[in-house]
Amino acid sequence: MAASPARELTQNPLQKIWEPYNNGLPAKHSAQRGVCMTNCPTLIVMVGLPARGKTYISKKLTRYLNWIGVPTKEFNVGQYRRDLVKTYKSFEFFLPDNEEGLKIRKQCALAALNDVQQYLSEENGHVAVFDATNTTRERRETIFRFGEENGYKTFFVESVCVDPEVIAANIVQVKLGSPDYVDCSNDEATEDFMKRIECYKNTYEMLDETLDKDLSYIKIMDVGRSYLVNRVMDHIQSRIVYYLMNIHVTPRSIYLCRHGESELNLKGRIGGDTGLSLRGKEFAKSLAQFINEQNIKDLKVWTSQMKRTIQTAEALGVPYEQWKVLNEIDAGVCEEMTYEEIQENYPLEFALRDQDKYRYRYPKGESYEDLVQRLEPVIMELERQENVLVICHQAVMRCLLAYFLDKTAEQLPYLKCPLHSVLKLTPVAYAGCSNTYRGRQTEQLPTTLLLTYTDMIRADVSQDDWEFFLLLGEFPKAAAKIVKRG
Amino acid sequence: MAASPARELTQNPLQKIWEPYNNGLPAKHSAQRGVCMTNCPTLIVMVGLPARGKTYISKKLTRYLNWIGVPTKEFNVGQYRRDLVKTYKSFEFFLPDNEEGLKIRKQCALAALNDVQQYLSEENGHVAVFDATNTTRERRETIFRFGEENGYKTFFVESVCVDPEVIAANIVQVKLGSPDYVDCSNDEATEDFMKRIECYKNTYEMLDETLDKDLSYIKIMDVGRSYLVNRVMDHIQSRIVYYLMNIHVTPRSIYLCRHGESELNLKGRIGGDTGLSLRGKEFAKSLAQFINEQNIKDLKVWTSQMKRTIQTAEALGVPYEQWKVLNEIDAGVCEEMTYEEIQENYPLEFALRDQDKYRYRYPKGESYEDLVQRLEPVIMELERQENVLVICHQAVMRCLLAYFLDKTAEQLPYLKCPLHSVLKLTPVAYGCKVESIFLNIEAVNTHRDKPENVDISRPPEEALVTVPAHQ
C-alpha cells in the first residue's frame, strides 16, 4: 500500500478538531472520540427473577452510557405488557401453564426486540438494554440468535440474590407503587408479588459456568458482594463491567455546590483563579454551618485545585481532597474575559458557542463534551463513595448534575447552578407519587431525589427546571420543596 | 463543630497547588491527588500453582501501580529461596514430605513478610505484592493474620489454569531461563519443573466461594477468559481488579513515535499547534513506508488532536483515532516560547522546573504528574488492544514509555524520545523488548538535559547550557 498524498487539514470551527479536507468539503475521518466505543451495536440482556434489581441496573447503566456519549436506550418488556394488557389482575397471568399469558408475554418480548432492532440498526443507537426476566435458556438463545442475525454483540447481566431482606426491601421500594398494584393495599400487593416470583422460580435456569461458557456475561451476586465475569469481548463491555462493579445501593447523599462568589464573578469575568469575594466568604461560613447541621455521617469533601473552591472548603474545617479534574472548563483564549469582551474580540466564537454549547470548544480551551470525558473518573468514584460534598464550578457542576438527573447533551449546558446554592442528591427508588407520565402508566423509577437549598445571601433565582423555596430567615433552616425527578 | 476561621491559602510554587498557610509555614493538607488511593496499606497475595503467571501478574501490576503514583513493591518468595539456598538441585526440594525443604520455604516466606512489613509500615509503601504459590488455606490464613495485625487490607489474586499448552508456553518463556536451571538442558529443565508442579498439586486448596466468602479476592481463570471477584473493599482494589481484567498475553507490538518535525520545533519553541515542516512531512512518508514494510496485522493508529500528529497520520492512508488526552503537555503561559524566552521572562519557573521536572506545573499549565493521570485511560486501552501505533508528543511519549519500561518519576522527564524515531515495544517474558528505529530523516534535537546548576539564582547562561540548537 503506497503512501497516498497527505490530505489537507482544516480545523472545524466549532469543536476545533483537525479534519482532512477534500475538494472543499470535510472528508470523512475517524472518530475523534477517545476510543471508538462501539464498532458494532451492543445488546445488553438482563437476567434474573423479579425484584432482583434488573430495572434499577438497566436504568442506571443507560443513564451512565448516555452521559459518557454512548447512545443507549432501555427496553422494559414489563412496560410493553402493561401497554398491551391494560389492567393487571393477578399473579396468575404469570403462571407457567397460562397459555394466554405466555402468548402475550412472548408477543411483548418480540415487540420489544423489534424496537431494539429499530433503535440499533436504523436510529444510530449504540447500545440497547433489554430489560426482562430472561430466566430460561431457551429465551436467551432466542435473543442471542436475534443479536447474531443483526450483527449485535450480546452481553448478559444477571442479578442473583437470595437474601429475603433485600428482596422484601425491593418490593417495598419499587413494586408497591407499580401501576400493577395501584388499587391494592400493600399487603395484597406484596402477597401477589411473592406469588409472581414463585411463577418464575421453577423454570429459572441461571447462567451456568459450563453450559454458558461461550457467552459474554457478568453475574452479579448479592447486590455486588461478588461477580462472575465471562468473556468480556471489547472496550464497551469492559467499561460496563467496571461500572457495574462500582455501583452500590447503600443509602447516602451527594451534595453539589459551587465555590462561593469570587472576585471575577463580581466583575462578570469567566474562568481565572481568583479568591472569594466578601459575600463568597460569607457563603463559605454558611456552608460550614449547613453541613454541620445536616449531621452527615463520614462526609467526604472534594474540591478542584482552584483557589476559590479550596477557600470555600477551608471554612468547613474538615479534611478535603483536591481534584485537578474538577477544575472549571478551560476557556482558552477567553479566560478572564467578560462576555462583552468575547463578543468584541471573538464574535464568531461567541456565536458558535450559542449554536452548540455542548460541543463548542474554546480556542486553546475545552468544550462541555471534553469536560464530561475528564469528569468520568469523578462520577465513577462518586458511585463508589457514600456521603460526599463536591465543591466545584458552574460548568463542572452542570456536567455532574446532568449525570444524576439524566439530562441530555442539549440540556446540560443550560442547567441552572446558581452560586450559593447546595443541591442534595439522594438516590431513591421511588418517591411515592402517582405514576402517570405522558398519559401512560409507567413503573416510575426516579433515580434521584433532589433538594435544593438556597442561601439568602445571593438570591439568583429564576427557575424552569426545578422549584425551590428561598430560605426565610436564618440560613440554613431549609424549607425546601422536594421535587421528584424522573 | 464551629466553623474555624478560614486559613490563608498560598500557592506552592512548584506544583501550583493551593495550600493552607499557618504562621509562615504550609500547613498539612489533604491529598492533592485525585482521590486518596490508599487509606491503609494493601497487601496483595498471589495464589496459584507454579507456571500460572503469578510473577508475570505481580510485576505488571507493580509497574502499573507505581506508574499511577501508588508506591508498590513486589516480594518474590522464590527469590528469597534462591538467596538462601545457593544452588537448586531438583524438584525434590519441593516434595511435601521434605522436612528440610518445608522449613526453608517457611523461613523464606516469613523473611519476605518481614520485608513487607518494613516496606508498608516504615518505608511509606502503599501496596506490597506477595508473590508465592500460597496454595494452602493454612498459609493464606497466616498471611491474612499478619495483614490484620499490621493494619493492612489483604487482597488475594489467584490464577487458575488447566490448559496444558498455556502452562508449557509459560515454562518455555520464563522457567527455562531461570537461575534454577542454568546448568540444565531445556528437556531436563522442563521435566524437573513439571515434577515441581506436581509437588504442589496434592495440597492445593483453591480459593473457594463458600469457605473463603469473607475474603477479598479475584480469581483469574484461563488467562482471563473469566473472573470471579469477591468483596472489593476500596478504590485501590477496584482499580486493581479493572486493570487485571484488561490485561492479556496475546503477542503484539506497540509502536510509539512523535509527530514529524513541526514548524515550531524548528524555531526551538515549545507547545503550540502548528503543522509539519518539510522534513516533518518527509518523515510522515517514511513512517508510512516503514509501517507498510512491518506488515502489521490489524494495526490501530492513534493520534492526539493537534495538527502535527494528525498530519503525520494522514500520510499513512489508514483510519486513525484522535485522542484529546494524547495532546502535548500544556505549557500554560510558556506556550510557544523558546527556552531563552522562558529564562528571560520566568527565570524562577525555569529553575523550579529543573529542580523537579516531574512535579513541576507550568503556570496555568500542566506537570508530568498531571500528564500521567490524564494518560491512564490510554494505558488501559493499550493493554486491551493488540497492535497499536501511537503518534504523539515528546512529554506524552516519555510518560507512556516510562510505563512500559518501568521508569521512575525522576527518570521519566529525561527519557530520550527524539523526533523521527519509532520505538517498537514487544512484551516478552516479564518485561518489554525495545527496538529503536530512526527513519533517517534529519530533525532538530528537542531534548534538554538537566543542567548542573538548578538554583533559582543561577546566571542565565548556566540555565541555558543544555538547550539544544534551533533556528
Side-chain angles (χ1 to χ4, degrees):
Chain A
M1 174 193 60
S4 37
R7 302 179 286 187
E8 282 305 304
L9 290 178
T10 183
Q11 196 180 40
N12 149 313
L14 179 79
Q15 292 172 297
K16 315 299 188 287
I17 303 276
W18 289 100
E19 300 168 315
Y21 196 41
N22 261 346
N23 300 323
L25 287 165
K28 193 168 181 303
H29 72 290
S30 248
Q32 61 268 33
R33 287 189 45 80
V35 64
C36 189
M37 290 278 191
T38 40
N39 305 315
C40 58
T42 302
L43 173 60
I44 297 176
V45 181
M46 302 304 300
V47 181
L49 294 173
R52 262 57 178 180
K54 296 184 303 296
T55 303
Y56 174 84
I57 292 169
S58 297
K59 285 185 179 283
K60 212 170 155 75
L61 186 58
T62 299
R63 177 163 57 90
Y64 168 71
L65 291 173
N66 278 312
W67 187 76
I68 60 171
V70 180
T72 304
K73 195 170 171 190
E74 30 137 6
F75 298 83
N76 179 286
V77 175
Q79 194 47 49
Y80 283 74
R81 188 258 306 157
R82 270 182 227 99
D83 291 344
L84 193 64
V85 182
K86 301 295 176 210
T87 338
Y88 173 76
K89 294 193 184 63
S90 83
F91 76 94
E92 288 173 357
F93 179 83
F94 293 96
L95 283 167
D97 54 4
N98 180 344
E99 296 279 344
E100 182 68 15
L102 286 170
K103 197 176 124 202
I104 291 171
R105 287 156 70 195
K106 177 130 201 192
Q107 193 181 335
C108 291
L110 293 175
L113 283 181
N114 198 51
D115 288 352
V116 163
Q117 183 184 39
Q118 171 111 348
Y119 179 67
L120 294 181
S121 301
E122 291 161 54
E123 291 174 14
N124 289 321
H126 284 205
V127 178
V129 184
F130 189 71
D131 179 17
T133 49
N134 297 317
T135 41
T136 62
R137 191 158 279 112
E138 188 219 343
R139 172 57 56 87
R140 296 194 292 267
E141 271 165 14
T142 304
I143 299 167
F144 187 81
R145 265 194 317 268
F146 161 84
E148 289 211 304
E149 283 160 14
N150 285 283
Y152 309 150
K153 282 187 190 169
T154 303
F155 186 76
F156 294 91
V157 177
E158 180 175 34
S159 175
V160 175
C161 183
V162 294
D163 184 341
E165 279 184 35
V166 172
I167 294 156
N170 284 358
I171 293 175
V172 166
Q173 280 208 20
V174 296
K175 301 299 177 185
L176 299 185
S178 159
D180 291 344
Y181 297 115
V182 70
D183 292 319
C184 301
S185 74
N186 282 358
D187 284 341
E188 287 169 342
T190 306
E191 193 186 331
D192 184 270
F193 199 82
M194 295 302 286
K195 290 185 182 149
R196 199 152 109 178
I197 298 177
E198 286 304 310
C199 292
Y200 285 89
K201 274 190 178 170
N202 292 335
T203 50
Y204 184 16
E205 296 166 291
M206 296 212 296
L207 285 172
D208 181 82
E209 275 191 74
T210 314
L211 295 172
D212 298 306
K213 64 177 170 51
D214 290 328
L215 296 180
S216 298
Y217 65 83
I218 178 170
K219 189 194 279 264
I220 304 170
M221 292 168 281
D222 295 327
V223 203
R225 181 187 57 76
S226 61
Y227 306 87
L228 180 65
V229 179
N230 198 61
R231 291 197 191 275
V232 169
M233 298 304 291
D234 59 15
H235 179 90
I236 192 68
Q237 289 181 17
S238 162
R239 294 286 286 275
I240 289 165
V241 164
Y242 185 43
Y243 180 73
L244 293 177
M245 289 176 60
N246 280 319
I247 61 181
H248 66 78
V249 293
T250 311
R252 50 80 174 252
S253 291
I254 295 165
Y255 297 78
L256 300 181
C257 70
R258 292 168 65 187
H259 52 84
E261 184 188 67
S262 74
E263 298 288 348
L264 283 183
N265 285 144
L266 273 176
K267 297 182 181 136
R269 294 183 173 283
I270 65 172
D273 192 15
T274 50
L276 299 179
S277 67
L278 270 165
R279 296 197 297 195
K281 290 174 182 169
E282 284 303 308
F283 167 72
K285 289 187 206 156
S286 285
L287 181 65
Q289 196 180 344
F290 169 76
I291 291 298
N292 228 350
E293 288 173 10
Q294 285 277 305
N295 225 352
I296 307 156
K297 171 172 167 270
D298 294 329
L299 179 72
K300 297 265 167 75
V301 179
W302 297 350
T303 69
S304 69
Q305 282 186 352
M306 296 181 138
K307 187 176 186 181
R308 52 201 188 275
T309 57
I310 298 166
Q311 259 187 304
T312 308
E314 274 287 310
L316 304 178
V318 297
Y320 54 89
E321 284 176 37
Q322 300 185 17
W323 293 64
K324 185 172 191 280
V325 293
L326 281 173
N327 281 4
E328 182 56 316
I329 193 171
D330 184 355
V333 300
C334 299
E335 276 284 318
E336 300 195 42
M337 288 191 173
T338 61
Y339 287 119
E340 291 83 357
E341 285 166 359
I342 300 175
Q343 169 58 36
E344 194 183 317
N345 293 292
Y346 301 98
L348 172 63
E349 295 296 328
F350 205 38
L352 284 170
R353 187 159 208 250
D354 284 338
Q355 286 175 17
D356 190 344
K357 198 174 176 191
Y358 184 74
R359 280 165 207 85
Y360 170 81
R361 185 184 282 169
Y362 281 104
K364 303 192 181 182
E366 296 178 298
S367 63
Y368 272 96
E369 193 170 25
D370 295 328
L371 255 197
V372 162
Q373 196 183 16
R374 89 161 141 87
L375 287 170
E376 199 265 351
V378 175
I379 289 297
M380 196 63 85
E381 190 57 20
L382 278 173
E383 286 294 347
R384 288 197 51 79
Q385 292 287 344
E386 293 184 18
N387 294 317
V388 186
L389 163 65
V390 185
I391 305 171
C392 54
H393 305 266
Q394 182 167 247
V396 169
M397 188 163 157
R398 284 172 169 155
C399 292
L400 299 178
L401 198 55
Y403 167 76
F404 289 107
L405 302 186
D406 203 15
K407 297 297 184 184
T408 63
E410 284 58 50
Q411 296 167 315
L412 187 160
Y414 297 101
L415 291 177
K416 296 265 187 338
C417 295
L419 286 166
H420 301 187
S421 297
V422 180
L423 301 188
K424 177 180 177 181
L425 304 162
T426 309
V428 296
Y430 189 67
C433 302
S434 83
N435 306 324
T436 309
Y437 178 66
R438 289 198 185 146
R440 294 169 63 200
Q441 291 222 295
T442 57
E443 190 164 57
Q444 191 71 302
L445 199 71
T447 52
T448 309
L449 191 71
L450 173 65
L451 286 91
T452 310
Y453 300 88
T454 299
D455 193 338
M456 274 300 282
I457 291 171
R458 187 189 156 113
D460 169 16
V461 288
S462 63
Q463 287 307 307
D464 305 322
D465 282 344
W466 64 74
E467 306 163 56
F468 56 85
F469 284 135
L470 291 173
L471 297 174
L472 308 168
E474 323 88 83
F475 179 87
K477 285 196 173 53
K481 187 171 177 181
I482 295 173
V483 177
K484 178 170 71 72
R485 305 312 303 164
Chain B
M1 174 192 58
S4 36
R7 303 179 286 188
E8 282 302 304
L9 290 178
T10 182
Q11 196 179 39
N12 149 313
L14 180 77
Q15 292 173 296
K16 315 300 187 289
I17 303 278
W18 289 100
E19 298 169 316
Y21 197 40
N22 261 344
N23 300 323
L25 290 166
K28 193 169 183 304
H29 71 291
S30 250
Q32 66 268 36
R33 286 186 48 76
V35 63
C36 189
M37 287 280 192
T38 41
N39 305 316
C40 58
T42 302
L43 173 59
I44 297 176
V45 181
M46 303 304 301
V47 181
L49 293 173
R52 263 57 178 178
K54 296 185 302 298
T55 302
Y56 174 82
I57 291 168
S58 298
K59 286 182 179 288
K60 211 169 156 72
L61 185 57
T62 300
R63 176 162 57 89
Y64 168 71
L65 291 172
N66 277 312
W67 185 76
I68 60 171
V70 181
T72 305
K73 195 170 170 190
E74 31 136 6
F75 298 82
N76 179 286
V77 175
Q79 193 49 49
Y80 282 74
R81 187 259 306 157
R82 272 185 277 279
D83 291 343
L84 193 64
V85 182
K86 302 294 175 212
T87 339
Y88 172 77
K89 293 194 183 64
S90 82
F91 75 95
E92 287 173 0
F93 178 82
F94 293 96
L95 282 166
D97 55 3
N98 180 345
E99 295 281 345
E100 181 69 14
L102 286 169
K103 198 176 123 199
I104 291 171
R105 288 156 70 195
K106 177 132 201 192
Q107 194 182 334
C108 291
L110 292 173
L113 283 180
N114 199 51
D115 288 353
V116 163
Q117 183 183 40
Q118 171 110 350
Y119 178 67
L120 294 182
S121 301
E122 290 160 54
E123 289 173 17
N124 289 322
H126 285 203
V127 179
V129 184
F130 188 71
D131 178 18
T133 49
N134 298 317
T135 40
T136 62
R137 190 156 281 111
E138 189 220 340
R139 172 57 56 88
R140 297 194 292 268
E141 272 165 12
T142 304
I143 299 167
F144 187 81
R145 266 195 315 267
F146 161 84
E148 288 211 305
E149 283 161 16
N150 284 286
Y152 309 150
K153 284 188 188 167
T154 304
F155 187 77
F156 294 91
V157 177
E158 182 174 32
S159 175
V160 175
C161 181
V162 294
D163 184 341
E165 279 185 36
V166 172
I167 295 157
N170 285 356
I171 294 176
V172 166
Q173 280 218 16
V174 297
K175 302 299 180 186
L176 299 185
S178 157
D180 291 345
Y181 297 114
V182 71
D183 292 319
C184 300
S185 75
N186 284 357
D187 284 342
E188 286 168 346
T190 305
E191 195 189 327
D192 184 271
F193 199 81
M194 295 303 288
K195 291 185 184 151
R196 200 151 109 179
I197 298 177
E198 287 302 315
C199 293
Y200 285 89
K201 275 190 179 171
N202 291 334
T203 49
Y204 184 16
E205 296 166 291
M206 295 212 298
L207 285 171
D208 181 82
E209 275 192 73
T210 314
L211 294 172
D212 297 307
K213 62 176 171 52
D214 291 328
L215 297 180
S216 299
Y217 66 83
I218 178 170
K219 189 193 279 262
I220 304 170
M221 294 167 281
D222 295 327
V223 205
R225 181 185 56 76
S226 62
Y227 307 87
L228 180 64
V229 179
N230 198 60
R231 292 197 191 272
V232 169
M233 300 303 292
D234 59 14
H235 179 90
I236 192 68
Q237 289 182 16
S238 163
R239 294 284 287 275
I240 288 165
V241 164
Y242 185 44
Y243 181 72
L244 292 178
M245 289 175 60
N246 280 318
I247 61 181
H248 67 78
V249 294
T250 310
R252 50 80 174 254
S253 290
I254 294 165
Y255 297 78
L256 300 180
C257 71
R258 292 167 66 186
H259 52 82
E261 184 188 68
S262 74
E263 298 288 349
L264 283 182
N265 285 144
L266 274 176
K267 299 182 177 130
R269 295 184 172 282
I270 65 172
D273 192 15
T274 51
L276 300 179
S277 67
L278 271 165
R279 296 193 298 194
K281 290 174 183 169
E282 284 303 307
F283 166 72
K285 290 187 206 153
S286 284
L287 181 65
Q289 195 178 349
F290 169 75
I291 291 298
N292 229 351
E293 286 165 10
Q294 287 275 307
N295 225 350
I296 308 157
K297 170 171 168 269
D298 294 331
L299 180 71
K300 296 265 165 74
V301 179
W302 298 349
T303 69
S304 71
Q305 282 188 351
M306 297 181 137
K307 187 176 186 184
R308 52 199 187 274
T309 56
I310 298 165
Q311 258 188 305
T312 309
E314 275 286 311
L316 304 179
V318 297
Y320 53 88
E321 283 177 38
Q322 299 186 16
W323 293 64
K324 186 174 191 282
V325 293
L326 282 173
N327 281 4
E328 183 55 315
I329 193 172
D330 184 356
V333 301
C334 299
E335 277 284 318
E336 300 196 42
M337 287 190 173
T338 61
Y339 288 119
E340 291 84 352
E341 284 165 1
I342 300 174
Q343 168 58 31
E344 194 182 319
N345 292 293
Y346 300 100
L348 173 63
E349 296 293 330
F350 204 40
L352 285 171
R353 186 159 209 251
D354 283 336
Q355 288 177 16
D356 190 343
K357 197 175 176 192
Y358 183 74
R359 280 165 206 84
Y360 171 80
R361 185 183 282 169
Y362 281 103
K364 303 193 180 179
E366 295 178 300
S367 62
Y368 273 96
E369 194 171 23
D370 296 328
L371 254 197
V372 162
Q373 197 184 16
R374 87 161 142 90
L375 287 169
E376 199 266 350
V378 175
I379 289 297
M380 196 63 87
E381 190 57 18
L382 277 172
E383 286 294 346
R384 288 195 52 79
Q385 292 286 343
E386 293 184 18
N387 293 317
V388 185
L389 164 65
V390 184
I391 304 171
C392 53
H393 305 266
Q394 182 166 246
V396 168
M397 188 163 156
R398 284 171 170 154
C399 293
L400 299 178
L401 199 54
Y403 166 75
F404 288 108
L405 302 186
D406 203 16
K407 297 296 183 187
T408 65
E410 284 58 49
Q411 297 167 314
L412 186 160
Y414 296 101
L415 292 176
K416 290 239 178 22
C417 294
L419 287 165
H420 300 187
S421 294
V422 180
L423 292 187
K424 177 178 176 180
L425 304 164
T426 311
V428 70
Y430 295 137
C432 217
K433 183 173 87 161
V434 191
E435 294 166 65
S436 175
I437 305 113
F438 174 61
L439 292 189
N440 228 2
I441 311 280
E442 289 303 310
V444 295
N445 174 23
T446 58
H447 185 94
R448 181 177 164 265
D449 272 317
K450 183 171 175 170
E452 271 197 46
N453 189 347
V454 298
D455 201 73
I456 58 175
S457 62
R458 64 194 176 171
E461 34 312 346
E462 288 184 35
L464 298 172
V465 69
T466 54
V467 172
H470 56 85
Q471 281 173 2

